[in-house]
Amino acid sequence: MKSLSNHQQLQRFLIASHFTRGNLVIYFFLILSLFSILMVGVLGIDKENKTLFPQEAIVRFEIFDFNYYKISPLGVEIFAYGKIGRENKKQENELEDFNINHYLFDTHTQETLHSHFALYDNNTINFPQGVYYIRNDTQFWSQRATYTPSLKELLGNGDFIIASNTYRIKGKNITYKDNKISANTIKGILITDKE
């Protein structure tokens, strides 16, 4: 009888340990489920204000040492290159240390524009740190300027200089509109062939 009772004890022990292991697995998954629900609740609270990377801080594009070509049926019309191009938080395109070379096929002339920094908002180009422009033998510099491509209108703010082989003009607040240049406080030097 003793052997039966030992056998029964062993059977009870095995059954008890089996239920205990089964209970541990159930408890483990129950605790894991509760923990998952708790984490979803905690992380979901005020999700918009506690994002790691707010939408405003994410730049849609940023390029380095870029080249841009606009090709027309007659050939390369525009060639632009620069150090950095990116979109800022106001959805303006920032361009740093860039040059634009534009070839006009109808007049066989080339225009060159250079600026250390510009902002383009899809309507106007703002040059807060100055702009250089060269066409044929004419060179232009403005301390600050805003250009509207759709109107072909340039509003310079501050000092400007226009120079060529035959003249040198200085002034303040230049305006180029309807193929006419006007400005405030103009001073100029005209060079002639006569000695």
Side-chain angles (χ1 to χ4, degrees):
M1 287 267 220
K2 247 182 177 184
S3 65
L4 275 180
S5 80
N6 281 341
H7 179 64
Q8 287 176 346
Q9 285 179 356
L10 180 63
Q11 203 173 22
R12 284 184 189 164
F13 175 75
L14 289 175
I15 292 172
S17 66
H18 177 69
F19 282 123
T20 306
R21 286 185 194 153
N23 289 342
L24 285 176
V25 171
I26 291 171
Y27 290 139
F28 173 76
F29 283 111
L30 183 62
I31 290 170
L32 184 64
S33 299
L34 290 173
F35 180 73
S36 299
I37 292 169
L38 179 67
M39 290 305 292
V40 168
V42 168
L43 295 176
I45 294 173
D46 203 14
K47 182 178 165 183
E48 292 178 9
N49 293 334
K50 293 186 178 182
T51 57
L52 293 175
F53 300 104
Q55 186 68 26
E56 305 88 43
I58 298 173
V59 176
R60 285 191 344 177
F61 78 89
E62 188 168 18
I63 54 177
F64 301 96
D65 297 322
F66 62 90
N67 292 320
Y68 168 80
Y69 299 91
K70 180 181 178 186
I71 300 172
S72 71
L74 299 174
V76 176
E77 184 177 337
I78 295 175
F79 169 60
Y81 58 94
K83 287 241 180 227
I84 299 174
R86 73 171 69 88
E87 183 179 75
N88 64 20
K89 293 177 184 179
K90 297 177 185 176
Q91 294 185 341
E92 296 172 322
N93 299 320
E94 295 180 359
L95 301 169
E96 294 182 22
D97 290 325
F98 72 98
N99 289 286
I100 299 172
N101 297 315
H102 182 205
Y103 186 74
L104 306 167
F105 290 104
D106 55 346
T107 59
H108 302 288
T109 58
Q110 182 173 341
E111 299 176 313
T112 302
L113 178 95
H114 171 75
S115 181
H116 293 291
F117 183 75
L119 294 167
Y120 178 57
D121 65 1
N122 295 324
N123 292 320
T124 59
I125 304 170
N126 187 12
F127 301 99
Q129 297 176 2
V131 62
Y132 298 89
Y133 172 78
I134 300 170
R135 181 174 182 173
N136 297 333
D137 69 336
T138 303
Q139 297 180 14
F140 167 78
W141 170 82
S142 181
Q143 191 175 12
R144 289 178 302 281
T146 301
Y147 180 67
T148 307
S150 61
L151 302 174
K152 296 188 178 184
E153 177 180 278
L154 178 103
L155 301 173
N157 189 349
D159 295 333
F160 74 88
I161 298 172
I162 300 175
S164 78
N165 295 336
T166 57
Y167 59 85
R168 184 175 174 87
I169 301 170
K170 293 181 180 182
K172 289 195 178 288
N173 303 331
I174 191 170
T175 301
Y176 174 79
K177 185 176 182 179
D178 299 326
N179 291 328
K180 295 178 185 172
I181 297 173
S182 60
N184 300 332
T185 321
I186 297 175
K187 295 179 184 177
I189 299 172
L190 182 62
I191 302 168
T192 62
D193 291 336
K194 296 180 183 178
E195 291 185 33

